[in-house]
Protein backbone atom coordinates (compact mmCIF):
# COMPACT_ATOMS: atom_id res chain seq x y z
CA UNK A 1 0.00 0.00 0.00
CA UNK A 2 1.42 3.39 -0.98
CA UNK A 3 1.85 6.09 1.66
CA UNK A 4 -0.60 8.97 1.83
CA UNK A 5 0.87 12.06 0.17
CA UNK A 6 1.48 15.11 2.37
CA UNK A 7 0.16 18.54 1.39
CA UNK A 8 3.75 19.63 0.71
CA UNK A 9 4.34 16.65 -1.54
CA UNK A 10 1.17 17.29 -3.54
CA UNK A 11 1.97 21.00 -3.92
CA UNK A 12 5.60 20.41 -4.98
CA UNK A 13 4.53 17.82 -7.56
CA UNK A 14 2.17 20.42 -9.04
CA UNK A 15 4.96 23.05 -9.10
CA UNK A 16 7.40 20.63 -10.76
CA UNK A 17 4.79 19.81 -13.39
CA UNK A 18 3.70 23.41 -13.98
CA UNK A 19 7.26 24.76 -14.34
CA UNK A 20 8.90 21.70 -15.91
CA UNK A 21 11.41 21.89 -13.04
CA UNK A 22 13.31 18.65 -13.67
CA UNK A 23 14.04 19.51 -17.31
CA UNK A 24 15.17 23.02 -16.39
CA UNK A 25 17.53 21.67 -13.73
CA UNK A 26 18.85 19.16 -16.28
CA UNK A 27 19.47 21.99 -18.76
CA UNK A 28 20.54 24.88 -16.48
CA UNK A 29 21.82 23.00 -13.45
CA UNK A 30 19.36 24.80 -11.15
CA UNK A 31 15.86 26.19 -10.87
CA UNK A 32 15.05 29.49 -9.14
CA UNK A 33 11.51 30.09 -7.93
CA UNK A 34 9.93 33.13 -6.28
CA UNK A 35 7.97 32.89 -3.05
CA UNK A 36 4.97 34.44 -4.79
CA UNK A 37 4.91 31.56 -7.25
CA UNK A 38 5.14 29.00 -4.45
CA UNK A 39 2.31 30.76 -2.63
CA UNK A 40 -0.05 29.96 -5.52
CA UNK A 41 0.16 26.36 -4.33
CA UNK A 42 0.86 26.63 -0.58
CA UNK A 43 2.43 28.89 2.06
CA UNK A 44 6.17 29.27 1.15
CA UNK A 45 7.34 28.95 4.77
CA UNK A 46 5.74 25.50 5.01
CA UNK A 47 6.95 24.52 1.55
CA UNK A 48 10.62 25.31 2.18
CA UNK A 49 11.28 24.39 5.83
CA UNK A 50 13.01 21.02 5.79
CA UNK A 51 15.36 20.94 8.78
CA UNK A 52 16.21 17.29 8.13
CA UNK A 53 16.78 15.44 4.90
CA UNK A 54 14.11 12.86 5.69
CA UNK A 55 11.44 15.60 5.64
CA UNK A 56 12.08 16.52 2.00
CA UNK A 57 9.15 15.80 -0.33
CA UNK A 58 9.43 12.52 -2.24
CA UNK A 59 10.08 14.24 -5.57
CA UNK A 60 13.14 15.93 -4.01
CA UNK A 61 14.42 12.65 -2.54
CA UNK A 62 13.86 10.71 -5.76
CA UNK A 63 16.00 13.17 -7.75
CA UNK A 64 18.54 14.03 -4.98
CA UNK A 65 17.39 17.65 -4.83
CA UNK A 66 17.40 20.24 -2.05
CA UNK A 67 16.13 23.78 -1.68
CA UNK A 68 17.92 26.83 -0.24
CA UNK A 69 16.78 30.46 0.17
CA UNK A 70 18.84 32.99 -1.81
CA UNK A 71 16.89 36.16 -0.95
CA UNK A 72 13.86 37.19 1.06
CA UNK A 73 11.62 36.20 -1.85
CA UNK A 74 13.37 33.49 -3.85
CA UNK A 75 14.76 29.97 -3.56
CA UNK A 76 17.13 27.81 -5.55
CA UNK A 77 16.57 24.10 -6.21
CA UNK A 78 19.33 21.81 -7.45
CA UNK A 79 21.26 18.61 -6.72
CA UNK A 80 22.63 20.04 -3.48
CA UNK A 81 24.33 18.20 -0.63
CA UNK A 82 22.57 20.42 1.88
CA UNK A 83 22.65 18.24 5.03
CA UNK A 84 25.37 17.03 7.38
CA UNK A 85 25.13 13.57 8.93
CA UNK A 86 25.92 13.52 12.63
CA UNK A 87 28.89 11.41 13.57
CA UNK A 88 27.26 8.68 15.69
CA UNK A 89 28.51 9.28 19.27
CA UNK A 90 29.52 6.42 21.49
CA UNK A 91 27.59 7.55 24.57
CA UNK A 92 29.31 4.94 26.72
CA UNK A 93 32.58 6.80 26.16
CA UNK A 94 31.18 10.30 26.70
CA UNK A 95 30.76 11.05 30.40
CA UNK A 96 27.85 13.28 31.38
CA UNK A 97 29.19 16.38 33.14
CA UNK A 98 27.07 17.63 36.03
CA UNK A 99 26.46 21.36 36.49
CA UNK A 100 24.08 21.91 39.44
CA UNK A 101 21.42 24.59 39.22
CA UNK A 102 22.63 27.83 40.86
CA UNK A 103 20.81 28.39 44.16
CA UNK A 104 19.76 31.93 43.30
CA UNK A 105 17.96 31.02 40.02
CA UNK A 106 14.19 30.91 40.65
CA UNK A 107 12.62 32.08 37.38
CA UNK A 108 13.82 29.11 35.27
CA UNK A 109 12.11 25.75 35.65
CA UNK A 110 14.89 23.29 34.85
CA UNK A 111 12.43 20.38 35.17
CA UNK A 112 10.16 21.78 32.46
CA UNK A 113 12.25 22.84 29.46
CA UNK A 114 9.66 23.30 26.72
CA UNK A 115 11.49 25.28 24.03
CA UNK A 116 14.88 25.84 22.47
CA UNK A 117 15.05 29.32 24.00
CA UNK A 118 14.48 27.97 27.51
CA UNK A 119 17.03 25.20 26.92
CA UNK A 120 19.63 27.81 25.95
CA UNK A 121 18.80 29.99 28.95
CA UNK A 122 19.05 27.02 31.33
CA UNK A 123 22.37 25.92 29.81
CA UNK A 124 23.73 29.45 30.15
CA UNK A 125 22.47 29.90 33.73
CA UNK A 126 23.99 26.60 34.84
CA UNK A 127 27.38 27.47 33.34
CA UNK A 128 27.19 24.74 30.70
CA UNK A 129 27.66 27.03 27.71
CA UNK A 130 30.57 28.86 29.34
CA UNK A 131 32.28 25.56 30.10
CA UNK A 132 31.82 24.26 26.56
CA UNK A 133 32.81 27.44 24.71
CA UNK A 134 35.85 27.78 26.98
CA UNK A 135 35.94 31.56 27.05
CA UNK A 136 34.46 34.09 29.45
CA UNK A 137 32.72 36.31 30.15
CA UNK A 138 29.94 35.38 27.72
CA UNK A 139 27.66 38.27 26.77
CA UNK A 140 24.37 37.48 24.94
CA UNK A 141 24.29 39.69 21.85
CA UNK A 142 22.52 39.07 18.53
CA UNK A 143 19.54 36.73 18.13
CA UNK A 144 16.30 36.41 16.22
CA UNK A 145 15.59 37.18 12.58
CA UNK A 146 17.90 39.30 10.49
CA UNK A 147 19.22 39.74 6.96
CA UNK A 148 22.11 37.61 5.72
CA UNK A 149 23.50 40.44 3.57
CA UNK A 150 25.29 39.25 0.41
CA UNK A 151 27.79 36.46 -0.11
CA UNK A 152 28.66 33.68 -2.55
CA UNK A 153 29.56 30.07 -1.81
CA UNK A 154 30.17 26.68 -3.38
CA UNK A 155 28.10 23.61 -2.48
CA UNK A 156 28.62 19.97 -3.42
CA UNK A 157 26.57 18.62 -6.31
CA UNK A 158 25.13 15.18 -5.55
CA UNK A 159 25.58 14.07 -9.18
CA UNK A 160 28.78 15.81 -10.31
CA UNK A 161 32.28 16.21 -8.91
CA UNK A 162 32.23 19.94 -9.63
CA UNK A 163 30.72 22.21 -6.94
CA UNK A 164 27.73 24.40 -7.65
CA UNK A 165 28.07 28.17 -7.17
CA UNK A 166 25.30 29.98 -5.27
CA UNK A 167 24.78 33.70 -4.63
CA UNK A 168 22.80 34.89 -1.60
CA UNK A 169 21.43 38.42 -1.37
CA UNK A 170 19.64 39.49 1.82
CA UNK A 171 18.05 36.17 2.66
CA UNK A 172 16.27 36.04 6.00
CA UNK A 173 18.13 34.08 8.66
CA UNK A 174 17.38 33.29 12.29
CA UNK A 175 19.89 32.91 15.12
CA UNK A 176 18.71 31.12 18.27
CA UNK A 177 21.43 32.71 20.39
CA UNK A 178 24.87 34.30 20.09
CA UNK A 179 27.34 34.97 22.88
CA UNK A 180 30.27 37.29 22.44
CA UNK A 181 33.34 36.67 24.54
CA UNK A 182 36.87 38.13 24.44
CA UNK A 183 38.16 35.78 21.75
CA UNK A 184 35.16 34.80 19.60
CA UNK A 185 31.48 35.14 18.74
CA UNK A 186 29.71 31.85 19.55
CA UNK A 187 26.59 31.34 17.41
CA UNK A 188 24.13 28.68 18.59
CA UNK A 189 21.49 26.67 16.79
CA UNK A 190 19.32 24.73 19.28
CA UNK A 191 16.85 21.85 18.92
CA UNK A 192 14.65 19.84 21.26
CA UNK A 193 14.17 17.02 18.78
CA UNK A 194 16.77 14.34 18.15
CA UNK A 195 17.79 13.63 14.56
CA UNK A 196 20.60 12.03 12.61
CA UNK A 197 21.50 15.09 10.53
CA UNK A 198 21.31 18.86 10.42
CA UNK A 199 20.66 21.42 7.71
CA UNK A 200 24.06 23.06 7.26
CA UNK A 201 22.41 26.31 6.17
CA UNK A 202 21.23 26.93 9.73
CA UNK A 203 24.87 27.25 10.78
CA UNK A 204 26.45 28.47 7.54
CA UNK A 205 24.31 31.52 6.70
CA UNK A 206 24.69 33.10 10.20
CA UNK A 207 28.40 32.19 10.14
CA UNK A 208 28.91 33.97 6.81
CA UNK A 209 26.97 37.04 7.93
CA UNK A 210 29.03 37.60 11.08
CA UNK A 211 32.32 36.39 9.63
CA UNK A 212 31.97 39.21 7.10
CA UNK A 213 30.88 41.71 9.78
CA UNK A 214 33.29 41.41 12.72
CA UNK A 215 37.04 40.87 13.05
CA UNK A 216 37.16 38.20 15.77
CA UNK A 217 36.61 34.47 15.04
CA UNK A 218 33.02 33.27 14.60
CA UNK A 219 32.32 29.77 15.91
CA UNK A 220 29.17 27.75 15.10
CA UNK A 221 27.66 25.59 17.85
CA UNK A 222 24.76 23.17 17.96
CA UNK A 223 22.80 22.29 21.13
CA UNK A 224 20.17 19.61 21.64
CA UNK A 225 18.16 19.01 24.79
CA UNK A 226 16.22 15.83 25.52
CA UNK A 227 15.54 13.60 28.53
CA UNK A 228 17.51 15.78 30.96
CA UNK A 229 20.67 15.83 28.82
CA UNK A 230 22.21 18.81 27.04
CA UNK A 231 24.36 17.72 24.09
CA UNK A 232 26.67 20.39 22.72
CA UNK A 233 28.66 20.29 19.50
CA UNK A 234 31.28 22.73 18.25
CA UNK A 235 31.77 22.88 14.49
CA UNK A 236 34.08 24.77 12.14
CA UNK A 237 34.06 25.56 8.44
CA UNK A 238 37.50 24.71 7.05
CA UNK A 239 36.86 26.85 3.97
CA UNK A 240 34.71 29.96 4.39
CA UNK A 241 33.51 29.69 0.79
CA UNK A 242 32.66 25.98 0.97
CA UNK A 243 29.22 25.15 2.39
CA UNK A 244 30.24 21.49 2.84
CA UNK A 245 33.52 22.11 4.68
CA UNK A 246 31.78 21.65 8.06
CA UNK A 247 33.77 19.55 10.53
CA UNK A 248 33.11 18.54 14.14
CA UNK A 249 35.61 19.98 16.61
CA UNK A 250 34.27 18.53 19.88
CA UNK A 251 31.14 17.33 21.65
CA UNK A 252 30.11 16.93 25.29
CA UNK A 253 27.09 15.92 27.38
CA UNK A 254 25.83 17.85 30.41
CA UNK A 255 23.04 17.64 32.96
CA UNK A 256 21.87 19.79 35.85
CA UNK A 257 20.70 16.63 37.68
CA UNK A 258 22.43 13.66 39.25
CA UNK A 259 22.82 11.15 36.42
CA UNK A 260 24.62 8.36 38.30
CA UNK A 261 22.93 5.00 37.74
CA UNK A 262 24.69 1.84 38.87
CA UNK A 263 24.39 -1.78 37.82
CA UNK A 264 22.59 -2.67 41.05
CA UNK A 265 19.91 -0.05 40.18
CA UNK A 266 19.23 -1.87 36.90
CA UNK A 267 19.32 -5.27 38.58
CA UNK A 268 16.85 -4.03 41.20
CA UNK A 269 14.41 -2.90 38.49
CA UNK A 270 14.84 -6.24 36.74
CA UNK A 271 14.04 -8.12 39.96
CA UNK A 272 10.95 -6.21 40.99
CA UNK A 273 9.30 -5.56 37.59
CA UNK A 274 6.25 -7.77 37.04
CA UNK A 275 5.65 -9.13 33.54
CA UNK A 276 2.55 -7.99 31.65
CA UNK A 277 0.47 -9.89 29.12
CA UNK A 278 1.27 -9.03 25.50
CA UNK A 279 -1.50 -6.97 23.92
CA UNK A 280 -2.65 -6.68 20.30
CA UNK A 281 -0.21 -3.82 19.62
CA UNK A 282 2.59 -4.27 17.05
CA UNK A 283 5.86 -5.39 18.61
CA UNK A 284 8.28 -2.42 18.42
CA UNK A 285 10.35 -1.76 15.32
CA UNK A 286 12.02 1.41 16.58
CA UNK A 287 15.70 0.99 17.33
CA UNK A 288 16.43 4.35 18.99
CA UNK A 289 14.86 4.35 22.44
CA UNK A 290 16.12 7.91 22.94
CA UNK A 291 13.84 8.96 20.08
CA UNK A 292 10.88 7.16 21.69
CA UNK A 293 11.48 9.31 24.79
CA UNK A 294 12.01 12.44 22.70
CA UNK A 295 8.73 11.87 20.85
CA UNK A 296 6.91 11.58 24.20
CA UNK A 297 8.52 14.85 25.34
CA UNK A 298 7.27 16.68 22.25
CA UNK A 299 3.77 15.25 22.70
CA UNK A 300 3.86 16.34 26.33
CA UNK A 301 4.04 19.93 25.08
CA UNK A 302 1.24 19.74 22.51
CA UNK A 303 -1.08 17.30 20.79
CA UNK A 304 0.08 16.13 17.36
CA UNK A 305 -1.57 13.77 14.89
CA UNK A 306 0.23 11.38 12.55
CA UNK A 307 0.83 13.96 9.81
CA UNK A 308 1.89 16.65 12.30
CA UNK A 309 4.60 14.36 13.71
CA UNK A 310 5.80 13.43 10.23
CA UNK A 311 6.07 17.10 9.19
CA UNK A 312 7.48 18.54 12.43
CA UNK A 313 9.80 15.74 13.49
CA UNK A 314 12.69 14.04 11.67
CA UNK A 315 10.52 11.08 10.63
CA UNK A 316 8.99 9.84 7.42
CA UNK A 317 5.45 8.49 7.57
CA UNK A 318 6.57 4.90 8.19
CA UNK A 319 8.88 5.91 11.05
CA UNK A 320 6.03 7.87 12.62
CA UNK A 321 4.05 4.62 12.68
CA UNK A 322 6.97 2.67 14.14
CA UNK A 323 7.77 5.10 16.94
CA UNK A 324 4.20 5.95 17.95
CA UNK A 325 3.41 2.21 18.05
CA UNK A 326 6.52 1.64 20.19
CA UNK A 327 5.37 4.28 22.68
CA UNK A 328 1.85 2.79 22.69
CA UNK A 329 3.33 -0.69 23.29
CA UNK A 330 4.98 0.66 26.46
CA UNK A 331 1.78 2.32 27.65
CA UNK A 332 3.15 5.85 27.14
CA UNK A 333 0.89 7.06 24.30
CA UNK A 334 -2.73 6.61 23.33
CA UNK A 335 -5.40 7.98 21.01
CA UNK A 336 -9.13 7.45 20.91
CA UNK A 337 -9.09 5.92 17.42
CA UNK A 338 -6.53 5.15 14.73
CA UNK A 339 -7.53 7.68 12.07
CA UNK A 340 -4.60 9.82 10.85
CA UNK A 341 -6.37 13.02 11.92
CA UNK A 342 -6.75 11.93 15.55
CA UNK A 343 -4.05 13.37 17.83
CA UNK A 344 -1.85 11.27 20.08
CA UNK A 345 -1.92 11.93 23.81
CA UNK A 346 0.47 10.99 26.57
CA UNK A 347 -1.12 8.54 28.97
CA UNK A 348 -1.25 9.38 32.66
CA UNK A 349 1.67 6.96 33.07
CA UNK A 350 3.65 8.78 30.37
CA UNK A 351 3.02 12.15 32.03
CA UNK A 352 4.01 10.79 35.44
CA UNK A 353 7.26 9.32 34.14
CA UNK A 354 8.25 12.55 32.38
CA UNK A 355 7.66 14.47 35.62
CA UNK A 356 10.23 12.39 37.52
CA UNK A 357 13.84 13.33 38.23
CA UNK A 358 16.48 12.10 35.77
CA UNK A 359 17.44 8.88 37.58
CA UNK A 360 13.91 7.87 38.53
CA UNK A 361 12.68 8.67 35.02
CA UNK A 362 15.28 6.40 33.37
CA UNK A 363 14.53 3.57 35.80
CA UNK A 364 10.80 3.98 35.17
CA UNK A 365 11.39 3.67 31.42
CA UNK A 366 13.52 0.57 32.11
CA UNK A 367 10.65 -0.91 34.11
CA UNK A 368 8.19 -0.36 31.25
CA UNK A 369 10.55 -2.10 28.82
CA UNK A 370 11.34 -4.97 31.18
CA UNK A 371 7.68 -5.62 31.94
CA UNK A 372 7.64 -7.34 28.54
CA UNK A 373 8.96 -10.88 28.65
CA UNK A 374 11.21 -10.80 25.55
CA UNK A 375 13.15 -7.74 26.76
CA UNK A 376 13.26 -9.01 30.33
CA UNK A 377 14.74 -12.38 29.44
CA UNK A 378 17.26 -10.98 26.95
CA UNK A 379 18.63 -8.59 29.58
CA UNK A 380 18.83 -11.41 32.14
CA UNK A 381 20.74 -13.55 29.65
CA UNK A 382 23.03 -10.64 28.75
CA UNK A 383 23.94 -10.15 32.41
CA UNK A 384 24.46 -13.88 32.83
CA UNK A 385 26.81 -14.38 29.85
CA UNK A 386 28.32 -10.85 29.91
CA UNK A 387 27.55 -10.14 26.25
CA UNK A 388 24.61 -9.53 23.95
CA UNK A 389 22.94 -12.85 23.06
CA UNK A 390 23.06 -13.87 19.40
CA UNK A 391 20.16 -13.09 17.08
CA UNK A 392 19.24 -16.79 17.08
CA UNK A 393 19.11 -16.83 20.89
CA UNK A 394 16.96 -13.68 20.97
CA UNK A 395 14.57 -15.05 18.34
CA UNK A 396 14.19 -18.22 20.41
CA UNK A 397 13.21 -16.08 23.43
CA UNK A 398 10.80 -14.02 21.30
CA UNK A 399 9.01 -17.10 20.00
CA UNK A 400 8.17 -18.11 23.58
CA UNK A 401 6.83 -14.65 24.50
CA UNK A 402 3.46 -14.76 22.64
CA UNK A 403 4.22 -11.65 20.60
CA UNK A 404 1.37 -10.14 18.59
CA UNK A 405 1.18 -10.84 14.86
CA UNK A 406 4.77 -12.01 14.23
CA UNK A 407 4.87 -15.15 12.14
CA UNK A 408 7.89 -15.34 9.83
CA UNK A 409 11.51 -15.88 10.89
CA UNK A 410 12.51 -12.79 8.87
CA UNK A 411 10.15 -10.63 10.93
CA UNK A 412 11.43 -12.09 14.18
CA UNK A 413 15.00 -11.31 13.12
CA UNK A 414 14.13 -7.73 12.12
CA UNK A 415 12.32 -7.05 15.39
CA UNK A 416 15.16 -8.61 17.39
CA UNK A 417 17.26 -5.53 16.48
CA UNK A 418 14.91 -3.41 18.60
CA UNK A 419 15.42 -5.73 21.57
CA UNK A 420 19.20 -5.44 21.16
CA UNK A 421 19.02 -1.66 20.87
CA UNK A 422 16.72 -1.15 23.87
CA UNK A 423 18.72 -3.52 26.07
CA UNK A 424 21.89 -1.66 25.05
CA UNK A 425 20.14 1.60 25.97
CA UNK A 426 19.37 0.22 29.44
CA UNK A 427 22.97 -0.87 29.96
CA UNK A 428 24.30 2.46 28.60
CA UNK A 429 22.65 4.20 31.58
CA UNK A 430 25.17 2.61 33.95
CA UNK A 431 27.71 5.23 34.94
Amino acid sequence: MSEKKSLNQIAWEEIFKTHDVLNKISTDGEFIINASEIKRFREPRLMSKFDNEINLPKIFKDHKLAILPISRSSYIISHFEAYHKFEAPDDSNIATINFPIPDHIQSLDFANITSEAIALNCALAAGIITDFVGDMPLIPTVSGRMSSKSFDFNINNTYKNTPHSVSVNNSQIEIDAAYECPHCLAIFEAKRDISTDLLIRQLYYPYRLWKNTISKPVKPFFLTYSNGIFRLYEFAFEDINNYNSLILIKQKKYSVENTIIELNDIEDVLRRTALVKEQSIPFPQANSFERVINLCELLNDKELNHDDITVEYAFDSRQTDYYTNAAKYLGLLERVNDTPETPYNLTDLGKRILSLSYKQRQLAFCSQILSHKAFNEVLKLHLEISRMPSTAMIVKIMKKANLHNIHSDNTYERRSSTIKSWVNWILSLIS
Side-chain angles (χ1 to χ4, degrees):
M1 183 182 294
S2 59
E3 291 183 2
K4 176 187 172 184
K5 291 184 179 181
S6 68
L7 295 176
N8 268 351
Q9 187 172 328
I10 294 168
W12 273 116
E13 287 178 358
E14 287 296 316
I15 289 175
F16 272 58
K17 181 179 177 181
T18 300
H19 292 281
D20 197 21
V21 173
L22 293 177
N23 280 333
K24 288 181 179 176
I25 291 175
S26 177
T27 302
D28 303 330
E30 63 185 36
F31 178 73
I32 294 175
I33 186 168
N34 289 326
S36 59
E37 184 58 41
I38 296 175
K39 196 167 187 177
R40 288 181 51 206
F41 300 84
R42 198 164 187 244
E43 174 60 41
R45 180 182 59 83
L46 300 175
M47 289 280 281
S48 61
K49 188 181 184 303
F50 307 115
D51 289 352
N52 303 100
E53 190 170 14
I54 198 168
N55 298 129
L56 287 168
K58 187 174 185 298
I59 196 165
F60 281 74
K61 295 177 189 174
D62 288 347
H63 299 279
K64 296 185 177 180
L65 299 170
I67 183 170
L68 294 172
I70 53 174
S71 74
R72 285 187 176 272
S73 60
S74 59
Y75 301 84
I76 184 170
I77 301 171
S78 189
H79 303 293
F80 293 145
E81 190 178 313
Y83 298 86
H84 175 82
K85 295 286 185 187
F86 274 117
E87 297 83 351
D90 181 0
D91 271 7
S92 64
N93 288 328
I94 304 177
T96 301
I97 305 167
N98 183 250
F99 270 73
I101 303 166
D103 292 337
H104 65 281
I105 299 296
Q106 298 181 9
S107 58
L108 285 173
D109 184 356
F110 285 77
N112 189 31
I113 296 177
T114 57
S115 70
E116 288 82 5
I118 295 174
L120 285 162
N121 287 342
C122 288
L124 182 65
I128 291 170
I129 291 177
T130 299
D131 179 79
F132 190 72
V133 172
D135 198 3
M136 61 182 300
L138 288 176
I139 307 299
T141 55
V142 292
S143 64
R145 295 177 180 175
M146 60 196 72
S147 170
S148 69
K149 299 184 181 177
S150 298
F151 58 87
D152 301 329
F153 64 89
N154 293 321
I155 182 171
N156 291 351
N157 186 302
T158 52
Y159 281 144
K160 300 177 181 178
N161 290 326
T162 55
H164 194 104
S165 179
V166 176
S167 295
V168 174
N169 182 31
N170 294 324
S171 173
Q172 180 174 281
I173 65 172
E174 186 163 2
I175 295 176
D176 289 334
Y179 309 100
E180 187 163 348
C181 39
H183 302 102
C184 75
L185 176 67
I187 295 178
F188 274 77
E189 175 71 17
K191 299 288 185 187
R192 284 188 62 243
D193 53 303
I194 299 173
S195 62
T196 58
D197 63 9
L198 65 88
L199 177 58
I200 299 173
R201 172 182 63 77
Q202 294 178 318
L203 296 177
Y204 186 70
Y205 280 27
Y207 168 79
R208 284 301 305 268
L209 166 63
W210 290 101
K211 185 71 175 173
N212 295 339
T213 304
I214 64 175
S215 60
K216 64 176 62 175
V218 177
K219 296 183 178 183
F221 293 85
F222 193 78
L223 177 149
T224 65
Y225 176 80
S226 175
N227 193 25
I229 301 296
F230 297 87
R231 284 181 168 84
L232 278 73
Y233 305 81
E234 180 184 347
F235 291 97
F237 289 98
E238 293 186 299
D239 178 353
I240 187 175
N241 298 308
N242 184 348
Y243 179 99
N244 299 106
S245 65
L246 186 72
I247 60 169
L248 179 66
I249 302 298
K250 65 178 180 181
Q251 60 179 309
K252 291 184 180 180
K253 294 193 304 182
Y254 298 86
S255 179
V256 297
E257 299 181 76
N258 175 19
T259 59
I260 295 175
I261 295 175
E262 299 177 343
L263 176 58
N264 59 11
D265 294 315
I266 302 298
E267 290 175 330
D268 182 57
V269 171
L270 187 57
R271 270 193 307 271
R272 59 184 171 79
T273 296
L275 296 180
V276 297
K277 183 180 178 180
E278 292 293 315
Q279 300 180 21
S280 56
I281 297 174
F283 188 81
Q285 188 172 343
N287 285 359
S288 172
F289 192 71
E290 287 186 341
R291 298 195 78 185
V292 175
I293 297 173
N294 191 219
L295 177 61
C296 291
E297 289 177 318
L298 299 180
L299 290 167
N300 195 31
D301 295 339
K302 59 179 177 179
E303 291 184 348
L304 298 171
N305 64 28
H306 180 281
D307 291 345
D308 294 331
I309 294 170
T310 303
V311 170
E312 295 191 26
Y313 199 48
F315 282 153
D316 60 23
S317 181
R318 184 173 298 176
Q319 286 177 311
T320 297
D321 287 335
Y322 291 159
Y323 278 85
T324 52
N325 282 335
K328 287 169 64 180
Y329 177 83
L330 296 175
L332 305 172
L333 283 189
E334 62 185 0
R335 60 177 176 173
V336 293
N337 59 62
D338 283 334
T339 62
E341 296 77 19
T342 305
Y344 291 91
N345 297 291
L346 273 185
T347 61
D348 290 341
L349 172 67
K351 292 175 183 176
R352 183 183 67 78
I353 291 176
L354 288 183
S355 70
L356 298 172
S357 65
Y358 176 85
K359 179 176 179 176
Q360 296 308 315
R361 183 164 66 251
Q362 311 317 307
L363 296 179
F365 281 128
C366 291
S367 181
Q368 289 308 112
I369 295 171
L370 297 174
S371 67
H372 295 270
K373 183 176 181 180
F375 294 93
N376 189 296
E377 294 198 1
V378 170
L379 178 57
K380 284 179 180 176
L381 185 56
H382 189 299
L383 294 175
E384 179 183 330
I385 65 177
S386 299
R387 59 180 171 82
M388 180 63 71
S390 67
T391 299
M393 295 168 74
I394 294 174
V395 168
K396 186 176 180 180
I397 290 171
M398 294 171 71
K399 287 182 175 179
K400 295 179 179 179
N402 298 317
L403 305 181
H404 173 67
N405 200 28
I406 301 183
H407 306 294
S408 72
D409 286 346
N410 285 338
T411 304
Y412 274 110
E413 289 181 9
R414 284 201 306 273
R415 302 296 170 87
S416 72
S417 66
T418 294
I419 295 182
K420 292 178 184 178
S421 297
W422 289 16
V423 168
N424 278 330
W425 176 81
I426 291 172
L427 294 173
S428 75
L429 297 173
I430 300 170
S431 300

